[in-house]
């Protein structure tokens, strides 16, 4: 009887030891799963409030999707500061660093990533015309390792509002950077639509920021207003543009909120922060197994009116009340 009690005690002890070992092993596995980090590499063309807002929205959006920096997410941001050679080297670095997924902020950045890899998923953040840029086959079925979010703006609506604000406007200038594919496409569309609305159009291009002042001076002298598409080069030098146009009392109508805040009068465009949020949603789907080849491109939003009331007052331009009622005021503080 005594032997049986000893034997039973031994069995109970053995079960406890094995059970504890199994429990510890499972906890260890759970801990490893929790600590496993997703690596996302981000390539940004240059530093600018609009592009920085996209990145901020991206980071916040990923947190909402359950991916938090420092816990289960590693974000590697590479900023090329507008240098093409930097774009190439940084894109290659992000690929060689074995990131699980790559993000391109602007078309040039996404093109660099596309040239660096045809295998890793690439998510576009704010690419206006991805098909025309040669990134994908179609917006409904990209057909390769690239998908994402477009920041395309409603140009016709913008021109119609310009005419409403400036009923005597006869000549409109279009200012953009010749080397930015997105800007070229938007400028061509704007020129066509403006002529359909009965406006005379003057188109001027710049090669880089060094050209902006001289080109703007010529354009402002020949037009009643200037339209600027989504253009990273012009956006980075809005202070130069508006210094010239303010002196000639010519209003500038850009296509993003930050460009309006930097001295433009009014723009109809997209919320840059929301582009980042929408990009994060696409990233989450891809990380969970969605195939980029069949994921349609997302349009972030459209028709948001941004108004710089201080600029309207400075230029002596009266904004119709119905436009004011719908607009988001973005005066620079």
């Amino acid at each position: 009887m005594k032997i049986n009690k000893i034997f039973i005690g031994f069995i109970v002890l053995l079960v406890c030891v094995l059970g504890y070992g199994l429990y510890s092993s499972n906890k260890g596995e759970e801990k490893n799963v929790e600590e496993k980090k997703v690596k996302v590499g981000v390539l940004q063309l240059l530093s600018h409030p609009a592009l920085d807002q996209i990145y901020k929205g991206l980071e916040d959006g990923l947190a909402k999707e359950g991916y938090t920096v420092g816990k289960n997410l590693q974000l590697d941001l590479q900023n090329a500061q507008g240098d093409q050679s930097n774009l190439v080297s940084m894109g290659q670095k992000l690929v060689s660093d074995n990131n699980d997924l790559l993000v391109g902020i602007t078309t040039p950045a996404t093109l660099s990533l596309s040239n660096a890899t045809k295998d890793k998923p690439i998510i576009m953040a704010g690419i206006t015309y991805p098909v025309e840029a040669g990134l994908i086959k179609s917006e409904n079925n990209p057909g390769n390792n690239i998908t994402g979010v477009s920041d395309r703006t409603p140009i016709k609506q913008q021109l119609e509002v310009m005419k409403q604000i400036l009923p005597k406007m006869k000549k409109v200038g279009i200012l953009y950077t010749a080397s930015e594919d997105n800007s070229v496409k938007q400028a061509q569309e704007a020129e066509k639509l403006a002529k359909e609305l009965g406006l005379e159009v003057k188109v001027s291009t710049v090669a880089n920021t060094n050209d902006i002042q001289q080109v703007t001076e010529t354009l402002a002298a020949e037009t009643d207003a200037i339209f600027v598409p989504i253009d990273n080069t012009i956006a980075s030098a809005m202070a130069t543009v508006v210094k010239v146009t303010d002196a000639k009392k010519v209003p500038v109508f850009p296509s993003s909120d930050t460009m309006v805040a930097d001295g433009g009068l009014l723009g109809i465009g997209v919320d840059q922060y929301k582009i980042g949020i929408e990009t994060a949603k696409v990233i989450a789907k891809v990380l969970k197994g969605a195939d980029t080849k069949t994921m349609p491109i997302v349009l972030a939003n459209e028709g948001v009116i941004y108004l710089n009331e201080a600029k309207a007052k400075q230029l002596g331009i009266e904004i119709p009340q119905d436009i004011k009622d719908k607009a988001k005021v973005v005066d620079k503080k």
Side-chain angles (χ1 to χ4, degrees), residues 133-176:
L135 288 164
I136 58 176
K137 293 180 180 179
S138 78
E139 293 193 1
N140 289 328
N141 290 285
N144 58 7
N145 61 319
I146 305 173
T147 189
V149 181
S150 171
D151 61 354
R152 192 152 56 247
T153 57
I155 295 175
K156 183 178 181 180
Q157 183 185 354
Q158 171 94 323
L159 292 168
E160 290 171 342
V161 169
M162 288 169 64
K163 286 192 69 175
Q164 185 179 349
I165 293 173
L166 303 172
K168 295 181 179 180
M169 181 178 68
K170 302 295 183 184
K171 299 179 180 180
V172 61
I174 300 175
L175 178 65
Y176 68 99

Side-chain angles (χ1 to χ4, degrees), residues 78-231:
Q78 298 288 316
N79 191 320
Q81 298 300 353
D83 188 296
Q84 182 60 41
S85 61
N86 285 344
L87 280 176
V88 174
S89 61
M90 289 176 176
Q92 292 171 344
K93 179 181 184 301
L94 288 173
V95 172
S96 63
D97 283 348
N98 292 320
N99 285 288
D100 299 302
L101 180 146
L102 305 170
V103 179
I105 300 179
T106 71
T107 300
T110 309
L111 283 168
S112 289
L113 292 173
S114 176
N115 290 333
T117 180
K118 303 298 180 185
D119 301 315
K120 289 183 181 294
I122 298 173
I123 310 303
M124 304 179 291
I127 314 305
T128 312
Y129 295 100
V131 175
E132 288 78 359
L135 288 164
I136 58 176
K137 293 180 180 179
S138 78
E139 293 193 1
N140 289 328
N141 290 285
N144 58 7
N145 61 319
I146 305 173
T147 189
V149 181
S150 171
D151 61 354
R152 192 152 56 247
T153 57
I155 295 175
K156 183 178 181 180
Q157 183 185 354
Q158 171 94 323
L159 292 168
E160 290 171 342
V161 169
M162 288 169 64
K163 286 192 69 175
Q164 185 179 349
I165 293 173
L166 303 172
K168 295 181 179 180
M169 181 178 68
K170 302 295 183 184
K171 299 179 180 180
V172 61
I174 300 175
L175 178 65
Y176 68 99
T177 306
S179 60
E180 293 192 28
D181 293 338
N182 284 344
S183 300
V184 173
K185 179 67 177 178
Q186 291 172 87
Q188 291 171 344
E189 184 177 348
E191 182 179 7
K192 176 177 176 291
L193 292 170
K195 288 178 178 178
E196 290 176 359
L197 291 172
L199 295 168
E200 184 179 335
V201 182
K202 172 70 175 178
V203 177
S204 294
T205 65
V206 301
N208 51 55
T209 54
N210 295 328
D211 301 336
I212 290 177
Q213 181 168 338
Q214 182 178 349
V215 172
T216 304
E217 285 176 350
T218 301
L219 187 61
E222 299 176 349
T223 56
D224 302 313
I226 295 175
F227 168 75
V228 181
I230 295 290
D231 189 296

